[in-house]
Amino acid sequence: MSDLMKNASVTMEEVAGRTLRTATWRLNEPSEHLPILFFNGIGANIEAVAPLAEAMPERGFIMFDMPGVGESPDPVIPYNPFTMSWTAAELLGRFGLGDVDVMGVSWGGAMAQHFALQHPARTRRLTLIATTPGMAMVPGNPAAFTKMANPRRYIDPEFMNEHFATLYGGVDADGAAHQKDSHIGRLKPPSPRGYMYQLLCMLGWTSLPALPFLKKETLIMMGEDDQIVRPINGQILKAMIPNARIQMFEGGGHLFLLTHADESVAAIREFLDAPETDEEKSRLEAYAA
C-alpha cells in the first residue's frame, strides 16, 4: 500500500451484488463531524483523491472504486445512477453509518446530486466540485474532450505533462512537475469495460428538473479556467438549487481540488462547519418523526 493510503482501511466489500474496493478513514475514531461519502471522477481510483481525506483528519471518509475502476472488479451488467446510489447507501449501512455529508467531483458530482435526491434522509450537506447537471451541461473545450478520450492520459506521464493545460486548464503554483507527479502517479487505468459502463451510466441523465426540490445546503466549487466543465455549469446549478452557494477558484482548472488544495480544504471546512440553519433543523426533525 502506498504511503498515501497508509492511514486508510482498504477492504473488498460485497454489497448489492457488486464487489467494491472501499477505503475508509477514521470511521472508528470519535469526531464532532459527520463522515464524508465521496464520489470520484470518471475513471479515477481512490488514490486520486486520497490527499483530501488526509488533509481533513478531523473527519471520517468513505469512498470506493466504481466497478471496473481501480481495483474493483469489472461490472457484469451496466448500472445507472439509481442503482449505484442504492449500492452506496447499502455500503454506508455495512459500515454502520446513517447520515453523512456527501461530496463528489466531476462525474462523481453528478452521482452526489443523485444520491442526495434519492436518499435525502442520509444526506446532511452537499459539496459539488467541478461538476454539471448532466446531459443539460454547457460543453467544455472540444480539445480537452479529445485528449480526455485518449487512454494514454492514465498511463503516460509524458502525454499527461504535454497536454495537462489542454486537458484540465488552470495554473498550479507548484509547476508542471508537480502536476505530473502528483496526479499521474496516483492514477490506475480503468478497464475498457469499466470506463465504458461509467460513461453509459450517465447517458441521458440530468438532474435539472429535480434540482429545485434539492433542499440541502449546497456548496458548488468551480475552477475559473476549467477546460472540461465550464464555470457556467456551476452558475446553472446555483440557480436551480434553492440553498446553494458558489465559490470560484481563480486560476483553477478541472483539478483545482488538488492544485489549490489548501484553498479548497478551507472552503469545504468553512461550509461544513457552519451552524445548522433553521431549515436544516426542521428537516431533521421531520425525518426523525
Side-chain angles (χ1 to χ4, degrees), residues 215-233:
K215 305 297 186 181
K216 305 298 179 183
E217 293 293 317
T218 303
L219 173 64
I220 301 159
M221 302 166 64
M222 306 295 292
E224 288 185 345
D225 192 41
D226 193 332
Q227 298 299 298
I228 295 173
V229 177
R230 295 293 193 190
I232 192 173
N233 289 288

Side-chain angles (χ1 to χ4, degrees), residues 23-44:
T24 63
W25 284 259
R26 301 172 294 274
L27 291 187
N28 295 324
E29 297 179 13
S31 174
E32 298 177 354
H33 310 283
L34 286 180
I36 290 172
L37 168 64
F38 194 96
F39 291 99
N40 218 332
I42 191 165

Side-chain angles (χ1 to χ4, degrees), residues 164 168-175 179 225 250-253 256 259-260:
F164 195 95
Y168 300 114
V171 176
D172 183 350
D174 293 332
Q179 293 171 351
D225 192 41
E250 183 178 354
F256 69 83
T259 61
H260 295 59

Side-chain angles (χ1 to χ4, degrees), residues 168-185:
Y168 300 114
V171 176
D172 183 350
D174 293 332
H178 169 73
Q179 293 171 351
K180 179 179 71 174
D181 295 343
S182 65
H183 188 61
I184 193 68

Side-chain angles (χ1 to χ4, degrees), residues 178-200:
H178 169 73
Q179 293 171 351
K180 179 179 71 174
D181 295 343
S182 65
H183 188 61
I184 193 68
R186 290 193 296 270
L187 288 179
K188 179 177 180 179
S191 73
R193 182 191 294 179
Y195 195 72
M196 180 61 67
Y197 279 14
Q198 222 178 342
L199 287 171
L200 289 175

Side-chain angles (χ1 to χ4, degrees), residues 14 16 22-24 46 52-54 66 72 82-83 104 109 114 123 125 130 156 181 187 199 222 265 287:
E14 300 279 347
T22 304
T24 63
I46 291 166
L52 179 65
E54 293 290 343
M66 296 297 291
S72 288
F82 180 88
T83 56
H114 192 100
T123 305
R125 291 185 177 177
D156 186 346
D181 295 343
L187 288 179
L199 287 171
M222 306 295 292
V265 168
Y287 289 141

